[in-house]
Amino acid sequence: MQGEPFSDELTKRLARARSVVVLTGAGISAESGIATFRDAGGIWSKFRPEELANVEAFLANPDLVQGWYRERKRIASEAQPNPGHEALVTLEAEIEDFTLITQNVDNLHRRAGSRNVVELHGNIARSYCIDCNASYEEQGEQSEPDLNAAARCEDCGGLIRPDVVWFGELLPADAIEQAFQAARRASVCLSIGTSAVVYPAADVPLAARTNGAYVAEINVEPSAIAAMLNETVLGRSGKVLPCLVDAALQARQSMNQQAS
Ligand code: BV8
Ligand code: ZN
């Protein structure tokens, strides 16, 4: 398609694809107003990941870390899915074997209507007690938490933490299993809005590539794994994804008409 930032090759492969795997990172939520991690001004420009997203930091400073996640939960719940999230919902409806793997914990893919979502790093809408595992789902009418004391479990008094994967913690085994199975059988993989510096998530597009998939990334700048992929599409995902999905579905339609 003339003037599009993506190739005809990608459009055709997506149009023909039976099995597609998508990896998303914080960049797909940037246009929903949620700051990314590593961009200038990103949420980690103030704090370093090591300071907050690990168990030691949490145990040393539970109210600081709980406060950081409370703020991120508020921002995420006030944010709306953007056309990038919505384009993936449209694509999922057309591809018989579609897996959306996200590193994001903001819940926007599910709120947009995506169904087969694999949350590699958890979801801040869920919390749990570190001592007795009691779960504390997001309650809309949550009473204003006592901002000074760290939130503790009603049953046992243990500290409550967000249900996310911190550095040095293992990812949920079922999520990892599902992600790499999908990557191994995909004919097309889209890596969207991720700097691809965090592992094992960044291995998903690489596993797809090793197994013969056509792998394209959509990002405003090349990621750390760009050189190992088939294509880098430069542009904002909220703008590029709807065009790419439209082009692929149109190509699929004309293929089907020719075939019939
Ligand atoms: C593990 C918590 C086994 C949830 C996160 C050395 C020592 C110790 C460990 C390691 C090591 N080397 C590697 C490791 C493993 C470590 C790791 O990868 N470290 C990296 C940083 C070197 N990984 C782990 O620890 C993982 N666990 O491996 O367990 C183990 C056990 C013990 C020891 C070793 C291994 C756990 C990883 C999960 C960590 N938790 N967050 C939360 O609070 O969110 S990671 C954090 O980064 C977020 O979850 C985030 O999802 C993730 C990835 O970031 P991105 O999503 O890519 O966001 P980023 O800002 O970086 O990039 C945004 C991109 O979007 C940019 O490219 C930008 O250009 C683009 N963009 C911006 N706007 C747009 C856009 N694109 C398109 N459109 C736009 N509009
Ligand atoms: Zn408890």
Side-chain angles (χ1 to χ4, degrees):
M1 299 270 278
Q2 286 315 318
E4 294 296 1
F6 47 83
S7 69
D8 287 345
E9 180 67 16
L10 177 58
T11 307
K12 272 202 306 265
R13 284 181 180 256
L14 208 44
R16 280 200 304 263
R18 202 192 58 74
S19 171
V20 171
V21 68
V22 175
L23 174 72
T24 62
I28 197 167
S29 297
E31 289 155 271
S32 296
I34 298 182
T36 62
F37 292 88
R38 297 173 181 84
D39 286 330
I43 43 179
W44 280 342
S45 54
K46 291 183 272 308
F47 298 105
R48 285 178 311 108
E50 298 68 31
E51 278 173 320
L52 290 175
N54 65 61
V55 185
E56 296 71 32
F58 174 67
L59 295 175
N61 233 324
D63 44 341
L64 172 70
V65 175
Q66 282 178 349
W68 183 52
Y69 280 95
R70 212 177 7 255
E71 174 61 2
R72 286 179 60 195
K73 221 187 279 193
R74 183 186 62 72
I75 293 169
S77 57
E78 287 169 5
Q80 294 306 323
N82 67 58
H85 296 103
E86 288 153 1
L88 292 179
V89 178
T90 307
L91 189 62
E92 178 174 23
E94 298 294 329
I95 304 280
E96 56 191 271
D97 173 19
F98 183 91
T99 307
L100 171 51
I101 302 161
T102 189
Q103 301 170 85
N104 299 342
V105 295
D106 60 26
N107 213 26
L108 285 186
H109 284 304
R110 287 190 196 284
R111 285 179 50 202
S114 288
R115 293 215 315 281
N116 191 16
V117 181
V118 179
E119 292 169 333
L120 286 182
H121 295 163
N123 186 321
I124 45 173
R126 298 189 303 265
S127 300
Y128 64 90
C129 166
I130 62 169
D131 290 337
C132 73
N133 254 347
S135 78
Y136 287 82
E137 288 294 321
E138 181 68 348
Q139 286 93 16
E141 67 298 332
Q142 197 157 14
S143 56
E144 198 41 43
D146 169 358
L147 298 181
N148 303 319
R152 288 190 171 273
C153 173
E154 288 148 12
D155 304 343
C156 78
L159 283 170
I160 294 174
R161 64 165 281 177
D163 187 9
V164 299
V165 180
W166 280 330
F167 284 103
E169 292 188 318
L170 293 171
L171 279 63
D174 53 341
I176 283 281
E177 180 64 25
Q178 222 186 321
F180 284 93
Q181 270 178 359
R184 280 193 285 273
R185 62 171 189 267
S187 47
V188 173
C189 170
L190 299 178
S191 180
I192 305 167
T194 181
S195 58
V197 297
V198 172
Y199 284 82
D203 264 333
V204 169
L206 301 179
R209 182 93 174 82
T210 308
N211 288 284
Y214 187 87
V215 186
E217 70 173 6
I218 296 170
N219 200 314
V220 293
E221 60 179 17
S223 77
I225 59 170
M228 295 175 259
L229 307 184
N230 298 94
E231 184 170 347
T232 287
V233 180
L234 290 180
R236 288 182 294 110
S237 48
K239 186 164 171 303
V240 168
L241 266 174
C243 301
L244 173 61
V245 170
D246 261 0
L249 297 189
Q250 276 177 30
R252 170 167 278 204
Q253 213 164 25
S254 51
M255 280 174 189
N256 292 344
Q257 276 154 5
Q258 279 158 19
S260 56

